[in-house]
Amino acid sequence: MDTLEQQRFFSRELLDWYVRSKRDLPWRRHRNPYYIWVSEIMLQQTRVDTVIPYFNRFIEKFPTVESLADAPEDEVLKCWEGLGYYSRARNLQFAARQVKEQYGGIMPSGREEVAGLKGVGPYTAGAIRSIAFNLPAPAVDGNVMRVLSRFFLIEEDIMKGSTRSHMEDLVVKLIPEGRASDFNQGLMELGALVCTPKSPKCLTCPVMEHCSGRIAGKEDSLPVKTKAKPPRPEYRLAAIVEGTGSYAGKVLIRKRRLPGCWQGCGSSPMLPSRRPEERRACRCRMRRRWTGWLMH
């Protein structure tokens, strides 16, 4: 089978499988760009099953871009509480204000406009544009790169920008005319449910017949990915300051920006020194950090 025939086979069989087997997810019941945008931000580094109840509560609380843009930050963070990676929530609200102020509350569809929103990277921009607006935009994440690496036997390192660019170009070629939304979602679905990182379910894969990686016996060794550097240990010195007298039984803390979160009086990367002048300097810096903190 030549390359063009293999691409046509992949696109046809993937779409047929997705239409038959797609999961019923709340953000798939609408073509509302705002809903799809929120879901894509929540799904970053978070499992689908975890996101579903958070998505439903978030949309109930903030049903429109304007309602999210106008909400107090504490309410947004409270609604996000437990989902983690709180910078996503702050970026989402910042971007909602961008949409309200620059586009009259209507989600834009242009590549530069969507990519210019706070917290929206290349993958998320492609997902929003293809799923919500059915535009032939590539949405290439880890799941997609794994599927493409295996099916087309791509043995380049997926951590390289050139490999990602190659795969984005390939996805554009694979998207059937007028079917960008279903195709990209099908590609994501295949990577999430069938072409998994370990023990891929090849026997139930809709495109197994012409998968070059499986035929070559390399489905378990693909994709090629450079190992990340091991984390570097960091040592910190933390202090707990307890009150005396009328403040007895209380500890010096301050409220963090996260809802319901408090933290101790600070930390220093310096370990205690035996030299008196260094200890005095360290205490002086710590006192400056504690300015504005309160007994609780």
Side-chain angles (χ1 to χ4, degrees):
M1 175 176 283
D2 63 30
T3 302
L4 186 57
E5 288 179 347
Q6 188 185 28
Q7 291 177 359
R8 289 173 177 168
F9 168 85
F10 180 84
S11 300
R12 181 181 66 251
E13 296 301 321
L14 178 66
L15 272 174
D16 289 346
W17 171 80
Y18 176 71
V19 171
R20 295 192 314 269
S21 309
K22 63 181 178 181
R23 288 174 289 181
D24 180 21
L25 302 176
W27 48 88
R28 285 181 177 167
R29 299 169 191 166
H30 313 271
R31 278 289 180 87
N32 187 324
Y34 171 63
Y35 292 0
I36 292 165
W37 174 26
V38 171
S39 72
E40 288 298 330
I41 298 298
M42 287 187 169
L43 286 166
Q44 293 172 3
Q45 299 176 294
T46 309
R47 294 174 59 87
V48 169
D49 292 343
T50 302
V51 165
I52 290 174
Y54 280 93
F55 173 84
N56 289 332
R57 286 196 297 269
F58 196 89
I59 293 301
E60 183 178 358
K61 181 78 173 178
F62 312 110
T64 63
V65 173
E66 291 89 344
S67 63
L68 176 58
D70 296 337
E73 185 183 84
D74 283 350
E75 287 187 14
V76 176
L77 294 175
K78 184 65 179 176
C79 200
W80 200 275
E81 191 173 25
L83 196 56
Y85 302 99
Y86 288 89
S87 61
R88 295 181 297 173
R90 292 195 184 93
N91 290 341
L92 181 61
Q93 185 176 37
F94 187 96
R97 290 168 179 161
Q98 286 181 281
V99 173
K100 179 184 176 182
E101 295 168 5
Q102 298 176 24
Y103 308 109
I106 299 173
M107 186 71 181
S109 61
R111 181 175 61 182
E112 293 183 2
E113 290 81 359
V114 175
L117 298 176
K118 183 82 168 178
V120 175
Y123 163 77
T124 305
I128 293 170
R129 296 183 66 235
S130 62
I131 297 172
F133 299 103
N134 202 31
L135 295 171
V140 175
D141 66 353
N143 281 338
V144 171
M145 286 192 284
R146 184 170 59 255
V147 172
L148 297 178
S149 292
R150 288 172 175 169
F151 186 83
F152 293 101
L153 195 58
I154 300 172
E155 299 182 272
E156 286 80 15
D157 184 356
I158 63 171
M159 298 300 289
K160 293 182 177 179
S162 57
T163 306
R164 175 180 287 273
S165 297
H166 168 58
M167 291 188 176
E168 288 175 343
D169 293 340
L170 178 57
V171 169
V172 173
K173 295 177 183 177
L174 292 170
I175 296 174
E177 187 175 355
R179 301 296 302 276
S181 180
D182 284 345
F183 179 84
N184 274 354
Q185 290 184 88
L187 199 49
M188 300 170 195
E189 194 94 326
L190 189 68
L193 301 180
V194 179
C195 197
T196 49
K198 296 181 180 179
S199 303
K201 305 174 181 65
C202 293
L203 293 179
T204 60
C205 178
V207 296
M208 173 197 62
E209 184 179 354
H210 297 296
C211 176
S212 297
R214 182 194 63 81
I215 293 170
K218 296 184 177 182
E219 66 273 18
D220 290 321
S221 62
L222 291 172
V224 175
K225 183 178 180 181
T226 304
K227 290 185 178 180
K229 294 181 180 179
R232 184 185 65 183
E234 289 192 10
Y235 300 94
R236 302 278 178 177
L237 174 64
I240 298 176
V241 180
E242 296 182 342
T244 60
S246 60
Y247 289 105
K250 300 191 176 188
V251 178
L252 195 64
I253 60 174
R254 71 174 177 182
K255 190 176 187 302
R256 299 182 63 189
R257 294 186 67 191
L258 305 183
C261 292
W262 299 77
Q263 72 180 50
C265 60
S267 63
S268 170
M270 291 183 60
L271 293 176
S273 171
R274 294 183 180 180
R275 298 172 61 182
E277 63 274 15
E278 290 184 1
R279 288 203 299 271
R280 285 195 297 270
C282 183
R283 285 197 297 271
C284 182
R285 283 195 294 273
M286 295 293 279
R287 279 198 298 272
R288 286 199 296 270
R289 286 187 184 185
W290 298 344
T291 302
W293 292 45
L294 42 102
M295 285 286 185
H296 185 71

